[in-house]
Amino acid sequence: MTVHTGILKAGAVILMAFGLMAFGVLFTMAAWPPLAGLIRFLVDLFAWPLDGAQTLAASETRLALAIGGGVMAGWGMTIWLVATRLAEREPGLVRTLVLLPVVVWFVLDSLGSIAAGVPVNAVFNVTFLVLFMAAFRIRGAQRQPAN
């Protein structure tokens, strides 16, 4: 059985895009308190100890969740569209369109997490950065020069 690693890498990028969209929807839903349970738990877990102190009840917190969730879902959709509609024709452009924003996200989100007193999120961010970088590095290495 032949497996094309290019297809697997594109699949990984698409999966990450859908993950971003799913988390974006969850964050947006958390703006309404009855639907905030999962995100409230994750925030409480990251802001250790797990003690229920993070309620996400303040209206400005719910607003930030709604805005951040919408942006995250939109970013995931953009990555998905770029990966499925442009990757085969313009792999270098796709790499730039996805990786540069990922690096900007990584730096700002990690610095913000550290400033907020939740450095564990910055540690988790490294995992996502490595996944994106690996997918595009390997995909780029497989390209062969045109004849």
Side-chain angles (χ1 to χ4, degrees), residues 2-70:
T2 303
V3 176
H4 297 282
T5 56
I7 293 171
L8 292 176
K9 295 304 169 190
V13 172
I14 292 167
L15 183 61
M16 287 184 272
F18 276 110
L20 277 171
M21 286 187 280
F23 267 100
V25 169
L26 287 173
F27 272 64
T28 302
M29 288 173 33
W32 188 40
L35 298 178
L38 180 59
I39 297 301
R40 188 173 45 245
F41 171 75
L42 290 174
V43 169
D44 196 23
L45 181 64
F46 277 39
W48 194 260
L50 191 58
D51 57 7
Q54 285 68 37
T55 64
L56 309 181
S59 62
E60 60 271 15
T61 302
R62 294 194 324 266
L63 175 62
L65 285 167
I67 293 169

Side-chain angles (χ1 to χ4, degrees), residues 75 94-106 133:
W75 186 29
V94 169
R95 187 177 302 108
T96 300
L97 290 173
V98 174
L99 287 184
L100 287 179
V102 166
V103 170
V104 169
W105 157 80
F106 173 77
M133 298 298 248

